[in-house]
Amino acid sequence: MIRHNQKYLDTIYKFYPKNIYPGNKEYLDSPEYAALLDLQELCLTDSERFDTLRKNIAKERNVNVMERNINFAHIAQFYLPEKIGYSKLETCTIIVSGMAKVFSVYLRSEITRITTLEGIRSKEEFDLINSITEHIIRIYPEYESFDMDFYNTRVPGVMANLRYNDYATYYECLLTHHIY
């Protein structure tokens, strides 16, 4: 039986129309899409806390924390000074959603594409993710870590735009805006 998170669903349905393929005219004319565009505009103008987060992490870790994207979420990434863990992970990605009060931190190998989204495999990975999480919670105390139990769970009625005849996941809707 598939479980759903009602709080996440309520938020998602404010910004994504149900049972309409992304990109078509009906989708682009929907009130949900208009709300998503408004949210994106708000996030573009509200980056002060995220900038502080990036600076704090950069200073503590002596790394360049690059802003990757702002849509309805603030996304940044930095390269680790040394590869860590069994999978030789080399980047850390930080996502703070403007849609829901959730965030995500994950590590990734650029070569193998392995990430910690599927699971943390070493103490080094665990410690780094916890350290970054502590930074986020200090600056965004009202936020919580995205519930990874819903990472691959499909959102009923919200169509993916790059996967034929499939639904988007909670993670895609709330954190990445790339509804594959």
Side-chain angles (χ1 to χ4, degrees), residues 84-101:
I84 67 168
Y86 304 115
S87 302
K88 302 298 181 203
L89 304 171
E90 57 198 336
T91 65
C92 178
T93 302
I94 303 156
I95 306 172
V96 178
S97 177
M99 182 182 294
K101 294 193 181 320

Side-chain angles (χ1 to χ4, degrees), residues 2-154:
I2 297 175
R3 288 185 9 207
H4 290 284
N5 181 313
Q6 194 59 50
K7 183 171 83 172
Y8 287 174
L9 284 176
D10 291 345
T11 300
I12 290 167
Y13 291 145
K14 289 178 189 175
F15 300 100
Y16 295 99
K18 287 173 137 180
N19 300 315
I20 301 174
Y21 188 78
N24 73 23
K25 183 165 176 32
E26 187 180 5
Y27 180 90
L28 298 174
D29 291 341
S30 71
E32 294 89 352
Y33 186 68
L36 182 64
L37 293 177
D38 290 344
L39 179 63
Q40 288 176 343
E41 187 66 32
L42 176 66
C43 285
L44 283 171
T45 61
D46 181 28
S47 63
E48 185 176 328
R49 289 199 294 177
F50 195 71
D51 291 340
T52 301
L53 174 66
R54 288 179 38 236
K55 289 174 188 171
N56 290 351
I57 292 169
K59 183 178 177 182
E60 178 189 277
R61 301 216 157 262
N62 196 25
V63 293
N64 181 17
V65 182
M66 302 168 285
E67 190 165 64
R68 295 285 309 262
N69 195 4
I70 298 177
N71 42 49
F72 65 80
H74 296 280
I75 304 172
Q77 182 180 56
F78 65 91
Y79 285 90
L80 307 173
E82 294 182 22
K83 295 178 183 181
I84 67 168
Y86 304 115
S87 302
K88 302 298 181 203
L89 304 171
E90 57 198 336
T91 65
C92 178
T93 302
I94 303 156
I95 306 172
V96 178
S97 177
M99 182 182 294
K101 294 193 181 320
V102 295
F103 64 87
S104 176
V105 178
Y106 66 91
L107 308 178
R108 179 177 184 214
S109 167
E110 295 290 321
I111 295 170
T112 64
R113 307 263 187 221
I114 292 174
T115 72
T116 55
L117 289 170
E118 296 85 21
I120 296 171
R121 296 168 191 86
S122 75
K123 182 168 177 6
E124 293 172 291
E125 296 166 7
F126 182 78
D127 291 345
L128 177 57
I129 289 171
N130 278 344
S131 172
I132 302 302
T133 296
E134 288 171 8
H135 280 285
I136 295 169
I137 290 171
R138 274 195 297 276
I139 294 173
Y140 295 91
E142 72 278 20
Y143 277 59
E144 60 187 36
S145 182
F146 176 79
D147 184 345
M148 292 304 287
D149 288 341
F150 296 98
Y151 176 68
N152 284 314
T153 304
R154 302 297 196 253

